[in-house]
């Protein structure tokens, strides 16, 4: 059965703001943009000043607070001040990648962005939802994985991991293969759709088809109020920030792999010692394809 409401965003305040951004009304998005652009500055503003900066009303600012799980504007200011103080202790490495950056700058910015994606994803992941997905996968006769574009590589990674511990799984990156496969799922099976934006039509369609036939559906997405999240029984969220040259390909993939690794390890823990034996056997099977002295 599909979820009727999307999960509430969790984790640090600015992570929640980015997570709900696409689902906000235009006026609320202007408030969100002001908050993200200068968290420390907004923390020092009155509600009237923020409303003026965002070209909106004080009522809209209050609605924005509710959307991100904050009771009111005073609490928003306190949380922004606290997070700004924390970020000042851990300064960013110059923000977005610029065309004139040296390769040294690029390395620093890429490394920082990827580290931040992993850290913030871990901070906000719903462990209870993760535990339910682990249990579903452990008990599933079959697991279907749907991912397109950069998310296809993540789906393939999980398929390979699950296959190595004797979990029957298939990764699909062609909608003409994904939909027929989803139509063959049934009660007890698990379908996992992976999409950073949560609006990839093919992934949503595949998950909807799987749900029609009684499979447990899981969404892995950056946006908990996206169409993909609304389609799924269970939602695992990431916390990646896309930047110039990296849209849809880097930060999102690193964050998705973090979730996938947590899921895989949780499943492996539940099926020990069979998983350990299977991993040893599969490692032995390919050992002859390594150059001598490489072990």
């Amino acid at each position: 059965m599909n979820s009727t409401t999307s999960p509430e965003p969790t984790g640090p305040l600015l992570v929640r703001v980015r997570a709900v951004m696409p689902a906000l009304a235009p006026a609320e998005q202007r408030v969100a943009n002001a908050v993200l652009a200068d968290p420390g500055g907004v923390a020092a503003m009155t509600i009237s000043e923020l409303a003026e900066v965002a070209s909106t009303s004080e009522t809209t600012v209050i609605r924005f607070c509710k959307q991100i799980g904050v009771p009111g504007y005073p609490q928003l200011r306190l949380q922004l001040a606290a997070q700004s103080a924390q970020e000042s202790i851990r300064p960013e490495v110059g923000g977005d990648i610029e065309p004139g950056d040296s390769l040294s700058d690029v390395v620093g910015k890429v490394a920082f962005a990827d580290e931040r994606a992993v850290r913030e994803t871990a901070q906000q992941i719903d462990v209870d939802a993760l535990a339910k997905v682990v249990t579903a996968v452990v008990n599933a006769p079959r697991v279907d994985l749907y991912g397109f574009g950069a998310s296809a590589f993540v789906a393939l990674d999980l398929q390979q991991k699950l296959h190595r511990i004797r979990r029957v799984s298939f990764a699909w990156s062609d909608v003409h293969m994904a939909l027929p496969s989803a139509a063959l799922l049934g009660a007890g099976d698990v379908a996992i759709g992976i999409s950073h934006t949560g609006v990839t039509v093919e992934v949503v369609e595949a998950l909807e088809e799987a749900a029609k036939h009684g499979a447990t559906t899981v969404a892995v997405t950056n946006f908990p109020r996206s169409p993909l999240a609304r389609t799924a029984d269970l939602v695992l969220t990431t916390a990646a920030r896309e930047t110039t040259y990296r849209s849809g390909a880097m930060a999102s993939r690193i964050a998705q792999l973090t979730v996938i690794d947590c899921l895989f390890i949780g499943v492996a823990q539940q099926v020990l010692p069979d998983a350990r034996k299977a991993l040893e056997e599969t490692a032995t099977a390919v050992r002859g394809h390594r150059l001598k002295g490489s072990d």
Side-chain angles (χ1 to χ4, degrees):
M1 182 174 63
N2 294 30
S3 57
T4 55
T5 58
S6 300
E8 288 302 310
T10 59
L13 179 65
L14 298 183
V15 171
R16 301 202 305 271
V17 173
R18 284 189 293 271
V20 304
M21 176 81 85
L24 297 178
E28 293 168 350
Q29 287 185 351
R30 294 197 297 273
V31 178
N33 284 325
V35 168
L36 292 173
D38 187 10
V42 172
M45 292 180 185
T46 66
I47 188 171
S48 299
E49 290 170 336
L50 177 56
E52 183 177 354
V53 167
S55 301
T56 189
S57 66
E58 294 180 14
T59 301
T60 297
V61 174
I62 296 299
R63 284 202 305 267
F64 165 76
C65 292
K66 303 292 186 183
Q67 291 277 23
I68 60 173
V70 177
Y73 190 65
Q75 292 84 358
L76 176 66
R77 291 180 65 184
L78 286 172
Q79 290 189 35
L80 283 173
Q83 187 153 348
S84 295
Q86 186 177 9
E87 291 294 330
S88 67
I89 298 172
R90 188 187 180 93
E92 297 191 13
V93 188
D96 205 353
I97 297 172
E98 302 296 339
D101 282 346
S102 67
L103 278 178
S104 178
D105 290 336
V106 169
V107 169
K109 289 181 178 182
V110 168
F112 180 84
D114 287 350
E115 183 272 337
R116 181 177 57 192
V118 171
R119 170 167 46 88
E120 292 185 346
T121 293
Q123 287 174 336
Q124 60 79 57
I125 193 168
D126 185 339
V127 177
D128 290 338
L130 178 62
K132 292 176 182 177
V133 178
V134 167
T135 299
V137 171
V138 167
N139 295 320
R142 167 175 164 173
V143 178
D144 257 20
L145 307 162
Y146 313 119
F148 297 82
S151 296
F153 299 104
V154 179
L156 283 168
D157 183 73
L158 180 55
Q159 188 271 330
Q160 184 262 350
K161 285 182 167 69
L162 291 175
H163 189 71
R164 287 195 63 189
I165 58 172
R166 296 195 177 96
R167 302 290 102 186
V168 177
S169 57
F170 302 91
W172 307 106
S173 59
D174 182 325
V175 71
H176 295 283
M177 300 294 287
L179 288 174
S181 182
L184 296 177
L185 297 180
D189 293 325
V190 174
I192 301 177
I194 305 171
S195 169
H196 171 73
T197 62
V199 297
T200 304
V201 173
E202 294 84 354
V203 179
V204 174
E205 286 180 342
L207 222 59
E208 288 176 339
E209 184 67 29
K212 288 180 187 176
H213 299 276
T216 297
T217 54
V218 181
V220 179
T221 180
N222 210 72
F223 301 101
R225 297 181 184 175
S226 62
L228 181 63
R230 292 196 298 269
T231 299
D233 298 313
L234 297 165
V235 180
L236 301 177
T237 51
T238 57
R241 311 183 200 183
E242 293 294 5
T243 58
T244 307
Y245 304 115
R246 299 161 56 77
S247 181
M250 293 185 177
S252 61
R253 187 188 67 231
I254 295 296
Q256 289 169 349
L257 287 171
T258 299
V259 172
I260 291 308
D261 283 348
C262 292
L263 171 58
F264 166 71
I265 292 171
V267 171
Q269 286 178 324
Q270 296 297 315
V271 297
L272 286 174
D274 184 58
R276 182 178 293 114
K277 184 173 184 294
L279 288 170
E280 291 172 352
E281 289 175 346
T282 54
T284 298
V286 298
R287 189 162 293 140
H289 290 267
R290 295 179 179 175
L291 296 174
K292 291 182 179 179
S294 62
D295 290 338

